[in-house]
Amino acid sequence: MSRHGERPDARSPGQALEGALTAAVRRTGAASGGIYLLDAGQRALCLVVTGGLPAEYAAPWTRIALAAPDPVADAVREDRLVWVGGLEDLARTYPRIAATLPYRFCLAAAPVSGPPAYRGALLLLWPADHPPHATGLERARIMRAARRTGGLLQATGRPPVIPAQPRLVHFQLLDTRTPHAVANFAERLPGGSLALDSEGRITFLTSGAARLLGRGAGQLLGRLPWHALPWLNDPAYGDKYRTALLSREPVFFHALRPPDTWLDFYLFPGPDGISVRIIETALADRPSPAPVPIKPPTAGGPVGVSRLYQLMHLSAALTEAVGVRDVVDLVGAQILPALGAQSLVLSAADAGRLKITGHRGYKPEVIERLDGLPLDTVLTPAGQVIASGVPSFFADPAEMARSYPQAPKISDKQAWAFLPLIVSGRPVGCCILSYDQPHTFTPDERAVLTSLAGLIAQALDRARLYDVKHQLAHGLQQALLPRTLPRIDGLDVAARYLAASHGMDIGGDFYDVIRLDPHTAAAVIGDVQGHNTAAAALMGQVRIAVHAYAAAGATPDQVLARTNRVLTDLEPGLLVSCLYAHLDLTRHQITLASAGHTPPLMRHPDRQTAVLTVEPGPLLGIHADASYPLTTLPLPVNTLLALYTDGLVEVPGRGTDRTTAALADHLAHTDVSDLDQLIGDLVHHSWPHGQHTDDVALLLLRTTSTPGGTPAPAAARSARRPSRGAGAP
């Protein structure tokens, strides 16, 4: 029994989700939608239930990376309702999605909150006639539907299992029972008529429609038109259908029924499906010039509407892959399912050998055996494919054995496509797609695979170049920051630098701890304007100057003033903020000087935490004769200082004051015994999904005892013990 005396929801999580989606669509007036849940690794959102659209159209969107620029991911990451009011809004905010879905519709994505196993998003879509702006009442209904979804899930008492394919819900929005008189009315109309439900299946047709389409009712009812009629399985016709389904606007097109009959199709969409009128095209209206007659489908069927639609989506996604790992993840998560393959190996030619850069679906021992083989090996056709630039396809093991009789069986795969990765006319690697069952590659499918290999090659080439630049930038950044922090009696220190989530992983944030003598130390943190090598180079100069002046015995204000004169002489064109703290560990006091930098947080021994009031001077590099006021404060034993750059607290959509106050409150109620762990905890608090938009530098300092080994006073020691209240770790 629940705490309110009610029985837990007797339905399974899957049934609860189906009911939640159906209720959300009905209560909001949406035409279609879906529910996403976070996977076990909390890195991707998986579509678990959908309705209102053919399942194959949802295939490219069944798995969305949490970090992706996508309305569903944004709703979960930022815990807010995302509304997209039309195609222009979509193109402006999510250009890649607009490129693959150029149709007029509105959408909303709302976060489904709760424990990690129940977190996700509710996605709803409306047709083109919906106003571009959602009313306050509509937004409230959407958010209530999302909250209800989370509540229904948790009421089942069992975390939902993410299925291999999303569950499909059939919305019964209208009574579909067709009275006999209506059927007779449709039969009397000239031409033919048929009805499609919201998933695209034929639910009704007249004898005239069956005659014009050249199929009996038994061959058409319950099937998708482009599956039942191969001559309609064309991307152009599929695009017309998607336009009608998503925008809810009438659509017209011609189609040729082999061998020589032209038909006019009129699509009239509604809330529960599409009504279609079919009329034989008049001779004067037939398209001219006449196209080449359509060839009959080959064995295995043509490459269909859904396949090309998926590949269009995947090719757009490849343009956003950044590193080699991103390319491998995208190919493995999206391209393999779209092509019906189960396994993948990406290899590159390197010094006469095949070096594997990524793989999916193979056992480690198989990859270990394949990695590093010479290009002329007989164990795999990959070397020959790279040398010739010509793809190879093997429908079954027997065909492989005939072409490569010396190749041993090293896996249980049953079919393979070896695709050369060609960049600027030069083969640089090989993509191997493999299948668990024998697979016949049709001419159309071979053409699609070869074209897709070219896209993968370009993405992989860009990714490898990015990885090289990333490694170079990372090495430069690490060289400019302190390799280690000094050991200082009476002071615990920890620091971390995190580059912005997007970019070269290099920037101008810096920190330093300087041991001045056995009883005093200096702590420095700063931020150079920019996220490039120029910012990093200037950061190195500033850090060296500060370190030199501090070691020479300058006071905090003198350190900043002299460093400022150096920068104004260099005229770098970049501004620098900096905070310098002088810590006297015997007198238990701290003296600070600031050049326009974010003030630090101080947690006192009694756990009270606040932002320090530090009178700032101007940024470094503006005025050569600038002065920097001093602020002196007590520094008792067991005091914790958090020095940080603004990237930690500047969160989009939230005021800096609010974010800083929340961080201070979190620090006051957090275990601070492990400073390295505390750094990660503070960063996660401000950026729970890791997508910080600016560089972050964080330096923690905690006074532990009087230098020379004097233990902390009893009051300070007791302050270190966590209480049993909200502040307990």
Side-chain angles (χ1 to χ4, degrees):
M1 298 289 286
S2 69
R3 62 176 180 173
H4 298 294
E6 299 174 351
R7 292 184 180 275
D9 195 324
R11 295 177 296 176
S12 69
Q15 292 171 326
L17 288 170
E18 290 182 2
L21 180 59
T22 301
V25 167
R26 287 176 175 168
R27 292 175 181 178
T28 62
S32 57
I35 295 176
Y36 287 82
L37 292 177
L38 275 171
D39 64 4
Q42 304 287 294
R43 298 184 61 182
L45 289 153
C46 301
L47 183 63
V48 293
V49 60
T50 182
L53 290 173
E56 56 195 29
Y57 286 173
W61 316 101
T62 56
R63 186 177 176 86
I64 299 172
L66 186 59
D70 184 278
V72 174
D74 285 354
V76 176
R77 275 201 321 271
E78 300 170 16
D79 194 30
R80 66 180 178 92
L81 172 66
V82 176
W83 174 266
V84 179
L87 183 57
E88 291 184 4
D89 196 7
L90 187 67
R92 181 175 59 254
T93 313
Y94 304 101
R96 178 169 69 81
I97 299 177
T100 57
L101 287 174
Y103 312 108
R104 297 178 58 207
F105 65 93
C106 302
L107 69 83
V112 174
S113 303
Y118 298 93
R119 287 183 60 218
L122 170 67
L123 175 67
L124 298 171
L125 288 81
W126 289 262
D129 60 359
H130 190 286
H133 301 288
T135 65
L137 177 60
E138 192 168 25
R139 289 174 176 268
R141 286 174 177 168
I142 296 168
M143 290 302 295
R144 279 200 299 270
R147 288 193 294 270
R148 184 175 184 273
T149 299
L152 287 174
L153 266 180
Q154 295 181 54
T156 64
R158 289 170 287 168
V161 176
I162 295 176
Q165 296 296 328
R167 301 165 69 105
L168 188 62
V169 178
H170 304 295
F171 300 137
Q172 196 74 15
L173 299 180
L174 298 176
D175 188 354
T176 59
R177 292 173 296 179
T178 305
H180 187 66
V182 175
N184 289 339
F185 166 79
E187 284 288 349
R188 290 192 292 267
L189 293 174
S193 302
L194 60 87
L196 307 176
D197 66 12
S198 58
E199 277 79 44
R201 297 184 304 271
I202 300 173
T203 58
F204 169 82
L205 79 159
T206 62
S207 58
R211 177 182 56 80
L212 290 172
L213 296 176
R215 289 286 192 275
Q219 298 172 293
L220 295 172
L221 285 173
R223 300 188 64 190
L224 300 172
W226 47 90
H227 288 175
L229 303 165
W231 49 274
L232 280 181
N233 196 3
D234 183 281
Y237 305 147
D239 186 67
K240 297 292 186 182
Y241 170 75
R242 283 194 299 275
T243 300
L245 186 66
L246 292 173
S247 68
R248 293 277 178 85
E249 296 175 325
V251 172
F252 162 79
F253 65 90
H254 293 291
L256 175 64
R257 191 196 76 194
D260 55 7
T261 301
W262 283 95
L263 302 175
D264 290 342
F265 288 80
Y266 298 85
L267 279 62
F268 301 97
D272 61 339
I274 297 177
S275 298
V276 182
R277 286 286 293 146
I278 309 170
I279 300 174
E280 188 169 353
T281 306
L283 182 63
D285 295 332
R286 293 184 180 183
S288 180
V292 177
I294 298 177
K295 297 183 294 183
T298 56
V303 177
V305 173
S306 60
R307 173 71 57 82
L308 291 181
Y309 167 63
Q310 289 179 335
L311 294 181
M312 180 176 65
H313 165 79
L314 296 171
S315 64
L318 278 170
T319 64
E320 294 188 352
V322 178
V324 171
R325 181 176 177 179
D326 295 334
V327 174
V328 174
D329 288 345
L330 190 144
V331 173
Q334 299 191 32
I335 292 181
L336 284 182
L339 298 174
Q342 287 76 43
S343 305
L344 159 78
V345 173
L346 286 175
S347 60
D350 185 4
R353 293 189 173 273
L354 284 167
K355 298 296 294 181
I356 294 178
T357 57
H359 61 91
R360 289 290 184 277
Y362 278 94
K363 296 179 180 179
E365 54 267 24
V366 174
I367 297 301
E368 184 178 356
R369 188 171 180 182
L370 293 175
D371 193 21
L373 291 174
L375 288 176
D376 58 357
T377 179
V378 297
L379 296 180
T380 170
Q384 181 178 341
V385 167
I386 293 176
S388 65
V390 178
S392 294
F393 301 91
F394 303 94
D396 52 49
E399 187 175 350
M400 171 74 81
R402 286 193 297 270
S403 301
Y404 289 85
Q406 300 181 49
K409 183 178 180 180
I410 57 177
S411 74
D412 56 358
K413 306 305 176 185
Q414 299 296 304
W416 302 264
F418 290 82
L419 309 172
L421 301 178
I422 300 175
V423 177
S424 301
R426 178 175 57 91
V428 296
C430 182
C431 174
I432 306 171
L433 301 178
S434 56
Y435 300 75
D436 291 343
Q437 301 296 328
H439 182 86
T440 300
F441 297 92
T442 67
D444 285 334
E445 192 173 14
R446 294 182 185 216
V448 169
L449 288 171
T450 303
S451 299
L452 185 60
L455 296 173
I456 294 174
Q458 295 173 21
L460 199 58
D461 189 55
R462 292 193 305 269
R464 293 177 67 183
L465 180 61
Y466 171 85
D467 284 348
V468 170
K469 291 182 178 179
H470 175 85
Q471 292 170 5
L472 176 63
H474 182 73
L476 174 61
Q477 187 81 52
Q478 294 303 310
L480 294 174
L481 291 171
R483 290 183 179 273
T484 59
L485 296 176
R487 291 181 175 272
I488 300 172
D489 192 18
L491 189 67
D492 287 343
V493 297
R496 189 171 303 172
Y497 167 82
L498 299 170
S501 302
H502 301 286
M504 283 187 62
D505 198 13
I506 190 170
D509 290 17
F510 66 95
Y511 60 85
D512 203 355
V513 176
I514 308 163
R515 187 178 187 273
L516 301 177
D517 62 44
H519 309 295
T520 56
V524 188
I525 196 159
D527 185 358
V528 180
Q529 176 187 12
H531 303 87
N532 49 36
T533 53
L538 183 60
M539 175 266 283
Q541 292 173 312
V542 172
R543 180 174 162 258
I544 291 172
V546 169
H547 199 116
Y549 291 129
T555 58
D557 57 332
Q558 293 173 341
V559 169
L560 294 186
R562 294 173 184 178
T563 303
N564 176 58
R565 282 194 289 272
V566 170
L567 289 189
T568 53
D569 290 342
L570 292 174
E571 297 183 352
L574 298 174
L575 302 179
V576 183
S577 71
C578 185
L579 178 70
Y580 183 95
H582 181 274
L583 293 86
D584 189 327
L585 301 176
T586 55
R587 299 173 62 186
H588 301 294
Q589 71 178 23
I590 180 173
T591 302
L592 303 106
S594 172
H597 194 80
T598 306
L601 296 176
M602 177 180 281
R603 172 174 151 147
H604 297 276
D606 61 359
R607 291 178 175 261
Q608 292 186 15
T609 305
V611 180
L612 291 183
T613 301
V614 181
E615 184 180 354
L619 296 170
L620 303 179
I622 298 180
H623 303 296
D625 297 325
S627 60
Y628 298 90
L630 294 176
T631 302
T632 301
L633 299 167
L635 187 68
V637 172
N638 290 326
T639 298
L640 176 71
L641 279 169
L643 284 63
Y644 54 91
T645 55
D646 54 12
L648 181 65
V649 292
E650 289 187 350
V651 180
R654 298 171 60 189
T656 302
D657 291 343
R658 175 186 168 193
T659 309
T660 305
L663 187 68
D665 182 69
H666 181 71
L667 181 59
H669 298 89
T670 301
D671 178 29
V672 298
S673 58
D674 186 333
L675 294 188
D676 287 317
Q677 182 176 338
L678 179 60
I679 286 182
D681 183 73
L682 293 176
V683 173
H684 179 77
H685 178 268
S686 292
W687 298 94
H689 303 297
Q691 300 300 307
H692 42 89
T693 56
D694 195 3
D695 301 332
V696 174
L698 180 56
L699 175 62
L700 299 181
L701 308 127
R702 182 180 59 209
T703 55
T704 58
S705 63
T706 302
T710 304
R717 288 199 304 273
S718 63
R720 275 204 298 259
R721 299 192 197 104
S723 67
R724 295 186 180 182

